[in-house]
Amino acid sequence: PSAARVAVVDDEAPVRVALGRLLRLAGYEVDTFESGAAFLASLVTVHPACAIVDVHMPSLSGLELQARLRVSRDRLPLILITA
């Protein structure tokens, strides 16, 4: 079976790179996104098992992204992170 796919959504590139590297080392497939809007647009073709989302992002915060996902997608598990 293929590895679970995890989406990392964070506006800070070093965080995306570090989390992506860590998750890949743990055996996950990883897609990274610099914004909530980019992540939402990707859901047409990308189907992650869960998403790790930064709470504080410009334009669309992690909490706003969570609210939009509730309306448009079936219960995608989210892990919200902040610094």
Side-chain angles (χ1 to χ4, degrees):
S2 65
R5 180 174 295 279
V6 177
V8 175
V9 186
D10 198 302
D11 59 314
E12 296 183 35
V15 174
R16 288 192 310 271
V17 170
L19 282 175
R21 207 174 273 154
L22 179 65
L23 290 164
R24 285 183 189 95
L25 285 171
Y28 294 96
E29 293 183 21
V30 180
D31 296 302
T32 61
F33 303 92
E34 65 184 26
S35 69
F39 173 63
L40 288 174
S42 78
L43 293 176
V44 174
T45 57
V46 176
H47 305 288
C50 76
I52 300 172
V53 180
D54 184 16
V55 170
H56 299 288
M57 294 186 289
S59 300
L60 185 65
S61 74
L63 295 176
E64 292 168 330
L65 175 60
Q66 180 185 34
R68 289 193 188 183
L69 286 170
R70 279 191 200 149
V71 172
S72 66
R73 191 162 163 83
D74 290 60
R75 299 182 186 189
L76 175 66
L78 295 183
I79 298 170
L80 297 173
I81 61 172
T82 189

